[in-house]
Amino acid sequence: MMEHEVAQALTYANQADPRVQLNDANVDIWWDGLRTVDANAARWAIKKHYAGQNANGEGAHVINPATIRRLITAELNRREQTERALEPPKNRVPHPMSWRQRNPEEFDRLMRQGAEDRYNELTRRGIKVTPPKHMQPSSPDGGFSDGGKQ
């Protein structure tokens, strides 16, 4: 915050609580304590401090730079924890054996079935595609042989 922003925050706090004194010494003290704080965050902290108290400010202690920094830090920590809680775990341990390794025959069967279903769907639509490798004939004459008879 700049010095004029600190003076504005001090004035804002004075308007909420007349016990906050507006003088040069307080501006210097607040500026020293709030140098690294954003002006909007300081205003938010002043509002938060007095919003939870009685309308006339009774029952609340006089706000000071330490209270403002504490409120801002607590809010930043709360937001960080909320964001961290919403993220999926990054170091998830994979199963030592994948499903494919545990069930190779079933995996191959399902892969062939999926390839056949896709090929059949595309040919039904009239789209020309090459059939999957397991559906292609393996002999050079197209899979038709006369059994050695000629």
Side-chain angles (χ1 to χ4, degrees):
M1 287 176 70
M2 304 302 286
E3 194 167 355
H4 70 279
E5 292 173 327
V6 171
Q8 289 173 349
L10 193 59
T11 304
Y12 185 74
N14 175 264
Q15 291 171 351
D17 185 357
R19 296 176 295 174
V20 177
Q21 297 179 6
L22 289 172
N23 54 37
D24 291 338
N26 258 358
V27 171
D28 289 341
I29 292 169
W30 277 51
W31 185 59
D32 196 42
L34 299 177
R35 225 177 257 192
T36 59
V37 174
D38 180 50
N40 292 329
R43 185 180 177 106
W44 171 86
I46 293 167
K47 271 196 276 189
K48 175 127 174 101
H49 177 74
Y50 287 110
Q53 309 304 324
N54 294 335
N56 60 0
E58 291 178 8
H61 68 279
V62 178
I63 195 159
N64 57 39
T67 304
I68 293 172
R69 286 192 314 268
R70 181 185 53 79
L71 288 170
I72 291 170
T73 303
E75 179 65 16
L76 291 175
N77 288 341
R78 186 192 66 76
R79 288 182 184 183
E80 181 183 341
Q81 288 172 352
T82 302
E83 288 175 13
R84 198 176 315 132
L86 295 175
E87 292 177 3
K90 293 179 182 170
N91 298 330
R92 185 172 166 235
V93 178
H95 194 279
M97 263 181 90
S98 70
W99 189 82
R100 181 179 186 177
Q101 291 171 330
R102 289 179 283 151
N103 304 309
E105 296 85 14
E106 181 68 7
F107 180 83
D108 291 339
R109 184 188 71 76
L110 291 172
M111 288 295 287
R112 282 192 303 274
Q113 180 184 350
E116 288 173 15
D117 291 348
R118 179 72 175 151
Y119 173 73
N120 292 335
E121 174 66 21
L122 292 175
T123 52
R124 184 184 64 76
R125 290 179 172 179
I127 301 171
K128 295 188 181 233
V129 291
T130 58
K133 289 192 180 215
H134 71 277
M135 291 178 68
Q136 293 177 358
S138 57
S139 60
D141 60 354
F144 301 105
S145 63
D146 54 1
K149 301 177 195 170
Q150 287 197 338

